[in-house]
Amino acid sequence: MQDQRKPTPRLLGTLRQHFPRTHALTAGAASFALALTMFVSTPEVEARRLSLPVNLSTAEVTGPEAVPATPEAAAGKVEPPAIATSLRSQSLTVQSGDTLSDLFQRANVNAADMYKLLASGKEAKQLARLTPGEELTFHIDDDGALQSLELHRDRLNLIEFTRGEADDFRYARHQREADSYSAYREAEIDSSLFVAGSNAGLSQSLIMEMAEVFSSDIDFALDIRKGDRFSVMYEEKFLDGEKIGNGPIQAVSFTNQGKTFSAVRYVDSNGDANYYTPDGKSMRKAFIRTPVDIGRISSHFNPRRLHPIFKTRRPHNGTDYAAPRGTPVYAVGDGRVIKAGYSKANGNYVFVQHGERYVTRYLHLHQRKVKSGQRVKQRQVIGTVGATGYATGPHLHYEFLVNGHHRNPATIVRKLPKAKSVPEAEMARFKSQTQPLLAQLENYEQPALAQRDTDNNDNSVN
Ligand SMILES: [Zn+2]
C-alpha cells in the first residue's frame, strides 16, 4: 500500500516555476498539534478508515487513592473502572439552561450527594460549568446513593468522580486520542469556491481555512475565475472507525488565473504552526489583503469621488466592501485598537494602529467586538459589517493609512513587508517535516495532471 512514487522531473519543474513568489498567511489551526500519521494512499481521494489501536491515557489522577487505568479502558472505549454490580445507571444529556441540581433531580439522586460531591475538591467545580450537549452518567446503588458520576465532555474526554472508602469522592480524568489520517480533495471551480469545495466534500470551515491560507495572495472576493482549481490534503480524525472531525490542512495548492500557489503547514521549534511556501517563505503577510472574506468592492478608493449621499466631490478615502450585515470584519494585521466608538457619520467604527507607520480604519460596523487600547491579532474579528452612520446599505468602509496619508487599500498591501520566513538555522528541520507532505500532495495530484496532459494532447491532434 505504500505508494512512494517520486514526483516526475517535469512536475517538479512545473512546481518550482510556480513558487518563486513569496507569500504568506496565517495558520488558523495552530491548536491541532496532533501527531502526524501519514498514509500514502491510492489515487482515490477518500480518507480511509483503518482500525488501529486506540491510545488511552489516564491523564490526571488525584484523590485518596489513585484510580488506575483499567484493561477495559485500554481496550477501546473511555470507560471508568468497573463498578460493583447492582448499580442503576442513568445517562442525561445537558440541555441549554440545565443546572447541576436539575440533572441530579432528573436522575433521582438526592441533593446531599450533590453537595458532598461538589465539596470533594477543586476538580468538582468543573461540574458547575456544564455545556449543552455534554453527557452525565450517574451510577446509583440500591439505596439511591450516588456511587459514581461520569461527565463526558466530548468523545475524547471523560471526567469521573467515584465514591471512596471514606464516603468522599475521588476524581479521575480519562483522555483518548483520535486517530489521524490524511485526506485529499481536489476540484475545479465553476461558479464559486464554496460550491466547488462543498461538491468536493470539504466542510465549510476547511474551505474557509484554505481561503485563509492564500488570503495574502488571492482576493477571494475578486480574483476567483471559472477554471481555477485547488488540491488540498488535510487530516481527518477518527474514533473507533468513525469520523469525529477534521484536523488542519497539511498541504494545499491553488491555481488562480493560471498561477499556482502552494503552501505547507509547519510546526516550528517554538511549537507555532504556520503555513509556508515549499521553500520556507511565510504565507502570512504583515497585512492580509481584505478585512472581509466575502463581499465585493462596491466603491473604490477615489480621491475625487462624487459622494452618493451628499452629491458633492468628496474624496473616497477607502474601499467599500458590500457584504451581508453580520459578516465578520478582521483586523488586517497585528496591532492595537486606538479608537473604537460611534459617530454620526462613521457609525460604529474601529481604528487599529499597526507598528509605528500604519493605521487601518473600519467604519459602519453593525457591532464592534473590540475596545480602545486592546491588542488584536491578524484576522481577529473586530466587528461585523453593518450600515450604521452615513451608509446606504450594509457595507464595510475600510481605510489604510501610511504615515498619516490615505493609501489605496486594494493595492497597498502588496507593497508592504511580509511575516518572517523560516530561519536558515531551522531550514533542515523545516524540510524534513514538510517535504513528505508536499511529495504526498503531488502524488495525489498526479493522476489528475496526467489526465489533463492527455486531454491537451488530444486537442493538439485535432
Ligand atoms: Zn466608503
Side-chain angles (χ1 to χ4, degrees), residues 194-226:
F194 270 90
V195 172
S198 305
N199 289 346
L202 291 178
S203 69
Q204 187 162 328
S205 63
L206 269 168
I207 298 169
M208 298 292 276
E209 205 183 315
M210 180 163 62
E212 195 181 320
V213 168
F214 294 109
S215 64
S216 290
D217 299 292
I218 302 168
D219 184 335
F220 284 88
L222 289 177
D223 294 345
I224 298 304
R225 298 287 181 278
K226 184 176 160 68

PDB file of all heavy atoms in Angstrom, residues 194-226:
ATOM      1  N   PHE A 194     -16.962  28.124  -2.767  1.00  0.00           N
ATOM      2  CA  PHE A 194     -17.783  27.397  -1.812  1.00  0.00           C
ATOM      3  C   PHE A 194     -18.519  26.243  -2.467  1.00  0.00           C
ATOM      4  O   PHE A 194     -18.577  25.144  -1.927  1.00  0.00           O
ATOM      5  CB  PHE A 194     -18.769  28.331  -1.103  1.00  0.00           C
ATOM      6  CG  PHE A 194     -18.169  28.896   0.133  1.00  0.00           C
ATOM      7  CD1 PHE A 194     -17.461  30.076   0.085  1.00  0.00           C
ATOM      8  CD2 PHE A 194     -18.257  28.230   1.344  1.00  0.00           C
ATOM      9  CE1 PHE A 194     -16.862  30.589   1.214  1.00  0.00           C
ATOM     10  CE2 PHE A 194     -17.667  28.730   2.486  1.00  0.00           C
ATOM     11  CZ  PHE A 194     -16.968  29.919   2.424  1.00  0.00           C
ATOM     12  N   VAL A 195     -19.064  26.497  -3.637  1.00  0.00           N
ATOM     13  CA  VAL A 195     -19.783  25.434  -4.344  1.00  0.00           C
ATOM     14  C   VAL A 195     -18.811  24.310  -4.718  1.00  0.00           C
ATOM     15  O   VAL A 195     -19.070  23.137  -4.457  1.00  0.00           O
ATOM     16  CB  VAL A 195     -20.487  25.994  -5.604  1.00  0.00           C
ATOM     17  CG1 VAL A 195     -21.057  24.859  -6.436  1.00  0.00           C
ATOM     18  CG2 VAL A 195     -21.592  26.963  -5.194  1.00  0.00           C
ATOM     19  N   ALA A 196     -17.669  24.690  -5.289  1.00  0.00           N
ATOM     20  CA  ALA A 196     -16.702  23.676  -5.708  1.00  0.00           C
ATOM     21  C   ALA A 196     -16.186  22.900  -4.503  1.00  0.00           C
ATOM     22  O   ALA A 196     -16.067  21.673  -4.540  1.00  0.00           O
ATOM     23  CB  ALA A 196     -15.542  24.337  -6.447  1.00  0.00           C
ATOM     24  N   GLY A 197     -15.891  23.616  -3.427  1.00  0.00           N
ATOM     25  CA  GLY A 197     -15.380  22.976  -2.217  1.00  0.00           C
ATOM     26  C   GLY A 197     -16.407  22.031  -1.614  1.00  0.00           C
ATOM     27  O   GLY A 197     -16.086  20.899  -1.243  1.00  0.00           O
ATOM     28  N   SER A 198     -17.638  22.484  -1.531  1.00  0.00           N
ATOM     29  CA  SER A 198     -18.693  21.640  -0.955  1.00  0.00           C
ATOM     30  C   SER A 198     -18.908  20.408  -1.819  1.00  0.00           C
ATOM     31  O   SER A 198     -19.042  19.301  -1.303  1.00  0.00           O
ATOM     32  CB  SER A 198     -20.008  22.416  -0.848  1.00  0.00           C
ATOM     33  OG  SER A 198     -19.818  23.586  -0.125  1.00  0.00           O
ATOM     34  N   ASN A 199     -18.944  20.595  -3.140  1.00  0.00           N
ATOM     35  CA  ASN A 199     -19.126  19.447  -4.031  1.00  0.00           C
ATOM     36  C   ASN A 199     -17.991  18.439  -3.907  1.00  0.00           C
ATOM     37  O   ASN A 199     -18.190  17.247  -4.103  1.00  0.00           O
ATOM     38  CB  ASN A 199     -19.245  19.910  -5.488  1.00  0.00           C
ATOM     39  CG  ASN A 199     -20.559  20.619  -5.745  1.00  0.00           C
ATOM     40  OD1 ASN A 199     -21.483  20.541  -4.924  1.00  0.00           O
ATOM     41  ND2 ASN A 199     -20.646  21.334  -6.852  1.00  0.00           N
ATOM     42  N   ALA A 200     -16.798  18.943  -3.580  1.00  0.00           N
ATOM     43  CA  ALA A 200     -15.654  18.041  -3.421  1.00  0.00           C
ATOM     44  C   ALA A 200     -15.653  17.386  -2.041  1.00  0.00           C
ATOM     45  O   ALA A 200     -14.780  16.578  -1.742  1.00  0.00           O
ATOM     46  CB  ALA A 200     -14.354  18.807  -3.633  1.00  0.00           C
ATOM     47  N   GLY A 201     -16.597  17.757  -1.203  1.00  0.00           N
ATOM     48  CA  GLY A 201     -16.708  17.126   0.108  1.00  0.00           C
ATOM     49  C   GLY A 201     -15.967  17.849   1.221  1.00  0.00           C
ATOM     50  O   GLY A 201     -15.746  17.287   2.287  1.00  0.00           O
ATOM     51  N   LEU A 202     -15.605  19.086   0.988  1.00  0.00           N
ATOM     52  CA  LEU A 202     -14.927  19.847   2.042  1.00  0.00           C
ATOM     53  C   LEU A 202     -15.961  20.528   2.930  1.00  0.00           C
ATOM     54  O   LEU A 202     -16.969  21.030   2.450  1.00  0.00           O
ATOM     55  CB  LEU A 202     -14.026  20.925   1.430  1.00  0.00           C
ATOM     56  CG  LEU A 202     -12.781  20.464   0.683  1.00  0.00           C
ATOM     57  CD1 LEU A 202     -12.054  21.659   0.104  1.00  0.00           C
ATOM     58  CD2 LEU A 202     -11.861  19.697   1.622  1.00  0.00           C
ATOM     59  N   SER A 203     -15.681  20.555   4.215  1.00  0.00           N
ATOM     60  CA  SER A 203     -16.567  21.262   5.121  1.00  0.00           C
ATOM     61  C   SER A 203     -16.376  22.758   4.910  1.00  0.00           C
ATOM     62  O   SER A 203     -15.359  23.210   4.381  1.00  0.00           O
ATOM     63  CB  SER A 203     -16.236  20.905   6.572  1.00  0.00           C
ATOM     64  OG  SER A 203     -14.980  21.454   6.920  1.00  0.00           O
ATOM     65  N   GLN A 204     -17.355  23.505   5.364  1.00  0.00           N
ATOM     66  CA  GLN A 204     -17.277  24.960   5.229  1.00  0.00           C
ATOM     67  C   GLN A 204     -16.044  25.504   5.936  1.00  0.00           C
ATOM     68  O   GLN A 204     -15.362  26.387   5.416  1.00  0.00           O
ATOM     69  CB  GLN A 204     -18.546  25.580   5.814  1.00  0.00           C
ATOM     70  CG  GLN A 204     -18.624  27.060   5.554  1.00  0.00           C
ATOM     71  CD  GLN A 204     -20.038  27.592   5.741  1.00  0.00           C
ATOM     72  OE1 GLN A 204     -21.021  26.863   5.490  1.00  0.00           O
ATOM     73  NE2 GLN A 204     -20.160  28.814   6.199  1.00  0.00           N
ATOM     74  N   SER A 205     -15.726  24.955   7.099  1.00  0.00           N
ATOM     75  CA  SER A 205     -14.584  25.508   7.830  1.00  0.00           C
ATOM     76  C   SER A 205     -13.264  25.199   7.128  1.00  0.00           C
ATOM     77  O   SER A 205     -12.331  25.993   7.167  1.00  0.00           O
ATOM     78  CB  SER A 205     -14.576  25.038   9.285  1.00  0.00           C
ATOM     79  OG  SER A 205     -14.434  23.650   9.337  1.00  0.00           O
ATOM     80  N   LEU A 206     -13.191  24.042   6.446  1.00  0.00           N
ATOM     81  CA  LEU A 206     -11.972  23.754   5.678  1.00  0.00           C
ATOM     82  C   LEU A 206     -11.835  24.680   4.475  1.00  0.00           C
ATOM     83  O   LEU A 206     -10.736  25.103   4.123  1.00  0.00           O
ATOM     84  CB  LEU A 206     -11.962  22.292   5.220  1.00  0.00           C
ATOM     85  CG  LEU A 206     -11.286  21.313   6.180  1.00  0.00           C
ATOM     86  CD1 LEU A 206     -11.580  19.880   5.779  1.00  0.00           C
ATOM     87  CD2 LEU A 206      -9.783  21.534   6.242  1.00  0.00           C
ATOM     88  N   ILE A 207     -12.954  24.994   3.850  1.00  0.00           N
ATOM     89  CA  ILE A 207     -12.920  25.930   2.720  1.00  0.00           C
ATOM     90  C   ILE A 207     -12.424  27.294   3.212  1.00  0.00           C
ATOM     91  O   ILE A 207     -11.567  27.929   2.596  1.00  0.00           O
ATOM     92  CB  ILE A 207     -14.313  26.063   2.066  1.00  0.00           C
ATOM     93  CG1 ILE A 207     -14.757  24.714   1.496  1.00  0.00           C
ATOM     94  CG2 ILE A 207     -14.295  27.118   0.971  1.00  0.00           C
ATOM     95  CD1 ILE A 207     -16.208  24.664   1.057  1.00  0.00           C
ATOM     96  N   MET A 208     -12.940  27.709   4.360  1.00  0.00           N
ATOM     97  CA  MET A 208     -12.501  28.982   4.936  1.00  0.00           C
ATOM     98  C   MET A 208     -11.018  28.940   5.273  1.00  0.00           C
ATOM     99  O   MET A 208     -10.280  29.899   5.073  1.00  0.00           O
ATOM    100  CB  MET A 208     -13.288  29.300   6.223  1.00  0.00           C
ATOM    101  CG  MET A 208     -14.770  29.475   6.029  1.00  0.00           C
ATOM    102  SD  MET A 208     -15.171  30.952   5.081  1.00  0.00           S
ATOM    103  CE  MET A 208     -15.148  32.184   6.381  1.00  0.00           C
ATOM    104  N   GLU A 209     -10.604  27.809   5.820  1.00  0.00           N
ATOM    105  CA  GLU A 209      -9.207  27.658   6.215  1.00  0.00           C
ATOM    106  C   GLU A 209      -8.297  27.766   4.980  1.00  0.00           C
ATOM    107  O   GLU A 209      -7.252  28.411   5.018  1.00  0.00           O
ATOM    108  CB  GLU A 209      -9.033  26.281   6.878  1.00  0.00           C
ATOM    109  CG  GLU A 209      -7.875  26.177   7.838  1.00  0.00           C
ATOM    110  CD  GLU A 209      -7.736  24.748   8.383  1.00  0.00           C
ATOM    111  OE1 GLU A 209      -8.757  24.135   8.764  1.00  0.00           O
ATOM    112  OE2 GLU A 209      -6.612  24.249   8.390  1.00  0.00           O
ATOM    113  N   MET A 210      -8.748  27.140   3.900  1.00  0.00           N
ATOM    114  CA  MET A 210      -7.966  27.192   2.665  1.00  0.00           C
ATOM    115  C   MET A 210      -7.903  28.636   2.148  1.00  0.00           C
ATOM    116  O   MET A 210      -6.833  29.123   1.762  1.00  0.00           O
ATOM    117  CB  MET A 210      -8.602  26.270   1.616  1.00  0.00           C
ATOM    118  CG  MET A 210      -7.870  26.261   0.296  1.00  0.00           C
ATOM    119  SD  MET A 210      -8.329  24.847  -0.734  1.00  0.00           S
ATOM    120  CE  MET A 210     -10.076  25.151  -0.993  1.00  0.00           C
ATOM    121  N   ALA A 211      -9.043  29.310   2.160  1.00  0.00           N
ATOM    122  CA  ALA A 211      -9.074  30.705   1.706  1.00  0.00           C
ATOM    123  C   ALA A 211      -8.139  31.549   2.575  1.00  0.00           C
ATOM    124  O   ALA A 211      -7.466  32.457   2.094  1.00  0.00           O
ATOM    125  CB  ALA A 211     -10.503  31.244   1.760  1.00  0.00           C
ATOM    126  N   GLU A 212      -8.095  31.205   3.850  1.00  0.00           N
ATOM    127  CA  GLU A 212      -7.260  31.963   4.771  1.00  0.00           C
ATOM    128  C   GLU A 212      -5.777  31.769   4.456  1.00  0.00           C
ATOM    129  O   GLU A 212      -4.998  32.713   4.495  1.00  0.00           O
ATOM    130  CB  GLU A 212      -7.571  31.511   6.195  1.00  0.00           C
ATOM    131  CG  GLU A 212      -7.041  32.439   7.249  1.00  0.00           C
ATOM    132  CD  GLU A 212      -7.359  31.942   8.646  1.00  0.00           C
ATOM    133  OE1 GLU A 212      -8.482  31.426   8.860  1.00  0.00           O
ATOM    134  OE2 GLU A 212      -6.487  32.050   9.502  1.00  0.00           O
ATOM    135  N   VAL A 213      -5.406  30.539   4.127  1.00  0.00           N
ATOM    136  CA  VAL A 213      -4.003  30.261   3.824  1.00  0.00           C
ATOM    137  C   VAL A 213      -3.509  31.149   2.683  1.00  0.00           C
ATOM    138  O   VAL A 213      -2.395  31.661   2.713  1.00  0.00           O
ATOM    139  CB  VAL A 213      -3.806  28.769   3.461  1.00  0.00           C
ATOM    140  CG1 VAL A 213      -2.429  28.528   2.853  1.00  0.00           C
ATOM    141  CG2 VAL A 213      -3.995  27.886   4.689  1.00  0.00           C
ATOM    142  N   PHE A 214      -4.386  31.364   1.681  1.00  0.00           N
ATOM    143  CA  PHE A 214      -3.949  32.103   0.495  1.00  0.00           C
ATOM    144  C   PHE A 214      -4.396  33.562   0.492  1.00  0.00           C
ATOM    145  O   PHE A 214      -4.249  34.250  -0.511  1.00  0.00           O
ATOM    146  CB  PHE A 214      -4.489  31.419  -0.763  1.00  0.00           C
ATOM    147  CG  PHE A 214      -3.900  30.061  -0.984  1.00  0.00           C
ATOM    148  CD1 PHE A 214      -4.663  28.919  -0.807  1.00  0.00           C
ATOM    149  CD2 PHE A 214      -2.568  29.917  -1.359  1.00  0.00           C
ATOM    150  CE1 PHE A 214      -4.122  27.662  -1.001  1.00  0.00           C
ATOM    151  CE2 PHE A 214      -2.017  28.665  -1.553  1.00  0.00           C
ATOM    152  CZ  PHE A 214      -2.797  27.539  -1.372  1.00  0.00           C
ATOM    153  N   SER A 215      -4.951  34.025   1.597  1.00  0.00           N
ATOM    154  CA  SER A 215      -5.620  35.327   1.535  1.00  0.00           C
ATOM    155  C   SER A 215      -4.667  36.495   1.305  1.00  0.00           C
ATOM    156  O   SER A 215      -5.101  37.577   0.939  1.00  0.00           O
ATOM    157  CB  SER A 215      -6.480  35.559   2.778  1.00  0.00           C
ATOM    158  OG  SER A 215      -5.653  35.614   3.910  1.00  0.00           O
ATOM    159  N   SER A 216      -3.363  36.299   1.484  1.00  0.00           N
ATOM    160  CA  SER A 216      -2.426  37.375   1.153  1.00  0.00           C
ATOM    161  C   SER A 216      -2.167  37.445  -0.344  1.00  0.00           C
ATOM    162  O   SER A 216      -1.741  38.474  -0.859  1.00  0.00           O
ATOM    163  CB  SER A 216      -1.088  37.172   1.864  1.00  0.00           C
ATOM    164  OG  SER A 216      -1.242  37.398   3.230  1.00  0.00           O
ATOM    165  N   ASP A 217      -2.403  36.343  -1.033  1.00  0.00           N
ATOM    166  CA  ASP A 217      -2.074  36.268  -2.448  1.00  0.00           C
ATOM    167  C   ASP A 217      -3.284  36.356  -3.349  1.00  0.00           C
ATOM    168  O   ASP A 217      -3.199  36.809  -4.476  1.00  0.00           O
ATOM    169  CB  ASP A 217      -1.357  34.941  -2.736  1.00  0.00           C
ATOM    170  CG  ASP A 217      -0.068  34.847  -1.959  1.00  0.00           C
ATOM    171  OD1 ASP A 217       0.839  35.606  -2.272  1.00  0.00           O
ATOM    172  OD2 ASP A 217      -0.015  34.040  -1.014  1.00  0.00           O
ATOM    173  N   ILE A 218      -4.400  35.846  -2.849  1.00  0.00           N
ATOM    174  CA  ILE A 218      -5.593  35.775  -3.677  1.00  0.00           C
ATOM    175  C   ILE A 218      -6.721  36.507  -2.954  1.00  0.00           C
ATOM    176  O   ILE A 218      -6.966  36.260  -1.782  1.00  0.00           O
ATOM    177  CB  ILE A 218      -6.006  34.301  -3.920  1.00  0.00           C
ATOM    178  CG1 ILE A 218      -4.856  33.524  -4.596  1.00  0.00           C
ATOM    179  CG2 ILE A 218      -7.261  34.237  -4.784  1.00  0.00           C
ATOM    180  CD1 ILE A 218      -5.055  32.024  -4.604  1.00  0.00           C
ATOM    181  N   ASP A 219      -7.360  37.393  -3.679  1.00  0.00           N
ATOM    182  CA  ASP A 219      -8.526  38.066  -3.128  1.00  0.00           C
ATOM    183  C   ASP A 219      -9.735  37.228  -3.508  1.00  0.00           C
ATOM    184  O   ASP A 219     -10.192  37.250  -4.648  1.00  0.00           O
ATOM    185  CB  ASP A 219      -8.627  39.474  -3.714  1.00  0.00           C
ATOM    186  CG  ASP A 219      -9.767  40.258  -3.097  1.00  0.00           C
ATOM    187  OD1 ASP A 219     -10.732  39.632  -2.617  1.00  0.00           O
ATOM    188  OD2 ASP A 219      -9.694  41.501  -3.098  1.00  0.00           O
ATOM    189  N   PHE A 220     -10.235  36.464  -2.549  1.00  0.00           N
ATOM    190  CA  PHE A 220     -11.304  35.522  -2.865  1.00  0.00           C
ATOM    191  C   PHE A 220     -12.621  36.212  -3.200  1.00  0.00           C
ATOM    192  O   PHE A 220     -13.547  35.581  -3.685  1.00  0.00           O
ATOM    193  CB  PHE A 220     -11.466  34.485  -1.742  1.00  0.00           C
ATOM    194  CG  PHE A 220     -10.377  33.448  -1.782  1.00  0.00           C
ATOM    195  CD1 PHE A 220      -9.179  33.656  -1.115  1.00  0.00           C
ATOM    196  CD2 PHE A 220     -10.532  32.284  -2.517  1.00  0.00           C
ATOM    197  CE1 PHE A 220      -8.159  32.719  -1.176  1.00  0.00           C
ATOM    198  CE2 PHE A 220      -9.515  31.349  -2.589  1.00  0.00           C
ATOM    199  CZ  PHE A 220      -8.338  31.566  -1.920  1.00  0.00           C
ATOM    200  N   ALA A 221     -12.700  37.513  -2.935  1.00  0.00           N
ATOM    201  CA  ALA A 221     -13.903  38.244  -3.329  1.00  0.00           C
ATOM    202  C   ALA A 221     -13.824  38.682  -4.790  1.00  0.00           C
ATOM    203  O   ALA A 221     -14.834  38.876  -5.428  1.00  0.00           O
ATOM    204  CB  ALA A 221     -14.096  39.455  -2.427  1.00  0.00           C
ATOM    205  N   LEU A 222     -12.622  38.818  -5.318  1.00  0.00           N
ATOM    206  CA  LEU A 222     -12.463  39.448  -6.637  1.00  0.00           C
ATOM    207  C   LEU A 222     -11.762  38.585  -7.669  1.00  0.00           C
ATOM    208  O   LEU A 222     -12.052  38.665  -8.858  1.00  0.00           O
ATOM    209  CB  LEU A 222     -11.618  40.727  -6.490  1.00  0.00           C
ATOM    210  CG  LEU A 222     -12.258  41.919  -5.809  1.00  0.00           C
ATOM    211  CD1 LEU A 222     -11.237  43.036  -5.705  1.00  0.00           C
ATOM    212  CD2 LEU A 222     -13.474  42.380  -6.593  1.00  0.00           C
ATOM    213  N   ASP A 223     -10.785  37.816  -7.236  1.00  0.00           N
ATOM    214  CA  ASP A 223      -9.848  37.203  -8.179  1.00  0.00           C
ATOM    215  C   ASP A 223     -10.274  35.852  -8.730  1.00  0.00           C
ATOM    216  O   ASP A 223      -9.672  35.347  -9.673  1.00  0.00           O
ATOM    217  CB  ASP A 223      -8.471  37.002  -7.505  1.00  0.00           C
ATOM    218  CG  ASP A 223      -7.795  38.318  -7.176  1.00  0.00           C
ATOM    219  OD1 ASP A 223      -8.248  39.353  -7.712  1.00  0.00           O
ATOM    220  OD2 ASP A 223      -6.829  38.313  -6.381  1.00  0.00           O
ATOM    221  N   ILE A 224     -11.275  35.219  -8.108  1.00  0.00           N
ATOM    222  CA  ILE A 224     -11.608  33.848  -8.498  1.00  0.00           C
ATOM    223  C   ILE A 224     -12.255  33.817  -9.876  1.00  0.00           C
ATOM    224  O   ILE A 224     -13.119  34.627 -10.184  1.00  0.00           O
ATOM    225  CB  ILE A 224     -12.554  33.212  -7.443  1.00  0.00           C
ATOM    226  CG1 ILE A 224     -11.842  33.136  -6.087  1.00  0.00           C
ATOM    227  CG2 ILE A 224     -13.005  31.813  -7.870  1.00  0.00           C
ATOM    228  CD1 ILE A 224     -10.532  32.387  -6.115  1.00  0.00           C
ATOM    229  N   ARG A 225     -11.805  32.872 -10.705  1.00  0.00           N
ATOM    230  CA  ARG A 225     -12.340  32.725 -12.063  1.00  0.00           C
ATOM    231  C   ARG A 225     -12.749  31.280 -12.286  1.00  0.00           C
ATOM    232  O   ARG A 225     -12.182  30.360 -11.685  1.00  0.00           O
ATOM    233  CB  ARG A 225     -11.271  33.079 -13.104  1.00  0.00           C
ATOM    234  CG  ARG A 225     -10.765  34.505 -13.057  1.00  0.00           C
ATOM    235  CD  ARG A 225     -11.794  35.505 -13.600  1.00  0.00           C
ATOM    236  NE  ARG A 225     -11.285  36.866 -13.573  1.00  0.00           N
ATOM    237  CZ  ARG A 225     -11.301  37.662 -12.486  1.00  0.00           C
ATOM    238  NH1 ARG A 225     -11.826  37.221 -11.349  1.00  0.00           N
ATOM    239  NH2 ARG A 225     -10.806  38.890 -12.539  1.00  0.00           N
ATOM    240  N   LYS A 226     -13.702  31.098 -13.184  1.00  0.00           N
ATOM    241  CA  LYS A 226     -14.059  29.766 -13.639  1.00  0.00           C
ATOM    242  C   LYS A 226     -12.786  29.097 -14.176  1.00  0.00           C
ATOM    243  O   LYS A 226     -12.027  29.720 -14.931  1.00  0.00           O
ATOM    244  CB  LYS A 226     -15.097  29.899 -14.743  1.00  0.00           C
ATOM    245  CG  LYS A 226     -15.668  28.599 -15.268  1.00  0.00           C
ATOM    246  CD  LYS A 226     -16.756  28.952 -16.301  1.00  0.00           C
ATOM    247  CE  LYS A 226     -17.062  27.794 -17.227  1.00  0.00           C
ATOM    248  NZ  LYS A 226     -17.706  26.660 -16.581  1.00  0.00           N
TER     249      LYS A 226
END
